[in-house]
Amino acid sequence: MERNNILNIDIERVDTPCFLIDEARLKYNLSILKKVKEKTNCKILLALKAFSNYAVFSIIRKDLDGVCASSLNEARLGREKFGKEVHVYGAAYSEKDFLMLLKYAHHIDFNSFSLWKRFKPLTKKARRSIKYGLRVNPEHSEGTVEIYDPCAPYSRLGIVREEFKPEELDGISYLHFHTLCQQNALPLYRTVKAFEEKFGEFIPKMEYINFGGGHHITKEGYDIELLCETINEFKKKWKVEVYLEPGEAVALDAGYLISTVLDIINNKINIAILDTSAAAHMPDVLEMPYRPFVIGSGQPNEKKYTYRFGGISCLAGDIIGDYSFDRPLQVGDRVVFTDMAIYSMVKTNTFNGINLPSIYIINSETGKIKLWKKFGYRDFLSRL
Ligand SMILES: Cc1ncc(COP(=O)(O)O)c(C=O)c1O
């Protein structure tokens, strides 16, 4: 499928700033994930932390097995709006939240034996059968950016082998590791080997192993064959089921953020002020950091007219990046940022009182466009 195929949409029709969620690209991503399921018989969950817009859950639900949630609210969303398996992992739970989780979750992971020991008696309060698991840390780093590496030194995410207590496994049905971020299948293959080396002796006691997220399965060039081989070999060797819980791969390239140029100023360089904000609408641009792609743009000075895109907030560092264009920008021009469904929509905030972007659902193949939500003062007020 052609990347960034938004050209069928009349972007002048939408109010900005706004997110567009593209059903056609979602379906394309899901068709790839479905093939992985068919070839391996693994289960695949949507990681809600990456993308949780329930407007399109009816599409995702057809091909995936459920969701993985990071909190009580996400677990409830999964249960009420997605309606299949709800898995939960949190670095810790309060007793109050844990008791509520028993209502919404089907699978709950613990991040330590101390938490498992403390909450095990509470599991008796569950009104239906729930499976419990442990997140382990294979201490095998594949990431280069420390804040996105759960295996970085002193990580709090997952139980390391020295802390693992085989005598406490009664009641535990699965192990879970999550170590990757935007990675191909070879890093997963190596991680599986590291996991087997450290925790292999416990695998036969388990019903399944959750290989976490961070698999860039729907990105061009991803080695799907190696992913499937890795899963199939593992299943054959250990006689257990395998789960994957990608977030990015489900909604990769399935969202746009459209904004409007509000002003153009000069301070040695041309600066376009947009009606959006990195700080409020796409915080990963600053946090990761990265430079989102803008349709029709080039690298700075690659095309004739270069601009720095600045956000509307007061933060001096609210800078999205430098971009060049074939023609000069004008006030009122639309600017389209790509790949904005994942980790942008879930992270928006109302810093400076800036309005949240509206949300439209589109189909880039048919040109269909539908307003899902608009936000205003009441939404701002309700958070204060
Ligand atoms: C435990 C866990 N599972 C799944 C994911 C989803 O990862 P991704 O969106 O990169 O596939 C994350 C992301 O941080 C995670 O922490």
Side-chain angles (χ1 to χ4, degrees):
M1 181 182 205
E2 199 184 315
R3 190 171 180 263
N4 308 324
N5 176 25
I6 198 186
L7 302 175
N8 283 326
I9 303 296
D10 177 8
I11 58 168
E12 298 303 324
R13 275 176 58 195
V14 299
D15 286 331
T16 69
C18 68
F19 287 112
L20 309 185
I21 301 173
D22 181 7
E23 288 179 350
R25 176 66 197 214
L26 264 182
K27 286 179 185 167
Y28 169 77
N29 291 344
L30 288 161
S31 70
I32 296 175
L33 297 174
K34 194 174 162 193
K35 266 190 213 132
V36 171
K37 285 185 47 167
E38 283 164 1
K39 284 186 168 173
T40 64
N41 221 359
C42 75
K43 289 202 177 183
I44 303 186
L45 309 170
L46 162 68
L48 291 176
K49 69 189 78 192
F51 180 76
S52 52
N53 198 297
Y54 56 95
V56 289
F57 277 2
S58 58
I59 297 172
I60 302 173
R61 189 190 297 132
K62 283 191 191 130
D63 294 316
L64 300 194
D65 299 283
V67 299
C68 75
S70 313
S71 62
L72 177 59
N73 284 337
E74 280 191 355
R76 183 170 175 183
L77 178 76
R79 178 79 184 198
E80 292 181 356
K81 302 287 188 192
F82 201 95
K84 291 173 102 174
E85 292 180 25
V86 176
H87 295 234
V88 186
Y89 161 76
Y93 309 111
S94 69
E95 194 174 313
K96 191 167 129 253
D97 280 6
F98 184 76
L99 288 170
M100 290 294 285
L101 280 176
L102 296 179
K103 213 171 130 188
Y104 300 118
H106 303 97
H107 304 242
I108 303 179
D109 296 17
F110 291 92
N111 192 51
S112 71
F113 278 96
S114 62
L115 208 65
W116 166 231
K117 239 178 127 171
R118 207 147 33 91
F119 284 171
K120 199 174 170 183
L122 292 184
T123 61
K124 296 204 173 59
K125 292 190 187 276
R127 297 238 177 99
R128 61 204 158 73
S129 150
I130 294 177
K131 291 193 196 303
Y132 300 97
L134 296 167
R135 174 160 172 183
V136 297
N137 175 353
E139 295 175 88
H140 172 83
S141 283
E142 288 283 352
T144 46
V145 182
E146 196 163 318
I147 68 161
Y148 291 102
D149 179 10
C151 297
Y154 313 117
S155 171
R156 73 191 188 294
L157 304 171
I159 304 162
V160 292
R161 182 63 184 87
E162 300 92 282
E163 295 295 315
F164 200 83
K165 298 186 168 54
E167 68 281 7
E168 304 279 354
L169 286 179
D170 186 40
I172 293 295
S173 307
Y174 63 97
L175 297 179
H176 172 207
F177 63 81
H178 167 78
T179 61
L180 305 177
C181 178
Q182 301 184 329
Q183 265 138 340
N184 210 316
L186 192 54
L188 172 68
Y189 175 81
R190 292 191 291 253
T191 303
V192 168
K193 295 288 158 218
F195 167 72
E196 288 178 323
E197 217 165 275
K198 289 225 147 87
F199 297 97
E201 63 186 291
F202 310 114
I203 301 174
K205 294 193 169 70
M206 303 297 152
E207 285 176 30
Y208 72 86
I209 304 297
N210 184 333
F211 286 5
H215 320 285
H216 237 181
I217 304 168
T218 51
K219 192 173 166 79
E220 233 181 291
Y222 185 90
D223 190 345
I224 292 179
E225 281 309 307
L226 179 59
L227 170 70
C228 294
E229 270 169 36
T230 305
I231 297 172
N232 283 334
E233 268 178 30
F234 187 89
K235 287 180 63 169
K236 199 166 151 208
K237 178 171 172 189
W238 297 105
K239 314 257 177 311
V240 290
E241 297 305 317
V242 167
Y243 276 77
L244 303 178
E245 48 178 29
E248 279 218 35
V250 178
L252 189 75
D253 271 326
Y256 302 88
L257 175 61
I258 304 193
S259 79
T260 301
V261 176
L262 295 183
D263 198 10
I264 295 171
I265 61 175
N266 190 283
N267 179 2
K268 314 278 191 302
I269 57 172
N270 286 323
I271 303 166
I273 316 271
L274 307 181
D275 64 354
T276 185
S277 155
H281 297 163
M282 36 186 151
D284 268 0
V285 165
L286 305 179
E287 203 177 285
M288 240 181 151
Y290 81 105
R291 175 183 174 275
F293 181 71
V294 169
I295 290 181
S297 76
Q299 291 296 327
N301 303 315
E302 184 187 335
K303 298 184 182 230
K304 197 165 171 199
Y305 302 96
T306 293
Y307 297 85
R308 175 158 297 177
F309 282 170
I312 197 175
S313 83
C314 67
L315 178 74
D318 192 354
I319 302 297
I320 301 156
D322 293 352
Y323 299 87
S324 66
F325 297 89
D326 290 325
R327 63 166 186 83
L329 284 185
Q330 316 263 325
V331 168
D333 278 351
R334 297 279 158 114
V335 173
V336 182
F337 296 96
T338 64
D339 201 14
M340 282 290 160
I342 43 174
Y343 294 108
S344 291
M345 301 183 69
V346 290
K347 285 193 174 186
T348 53
N349 60 71
T350 55
F351 179 53
N352 276 208
I354 297 167
N355 212 21
L356 294 167
S358 308
I359 300 172
Y360 292 81
I361 313 296
I362 64 164
N363 186 310
S364 58
E365 276 172 8
T366 61
K368 196 182 85 184
I369 180 161
K370 186 174 75 197
L371 177 67
W372 165 252
K373 260 182 202 169
K374 244 183 188 329
F375 302 94
Y377 178 64
R378 277 179 189 286
D379 302 287
F380 168 61
L381 202 65
S382 70
R383 303 178 66 238
L384 303 175

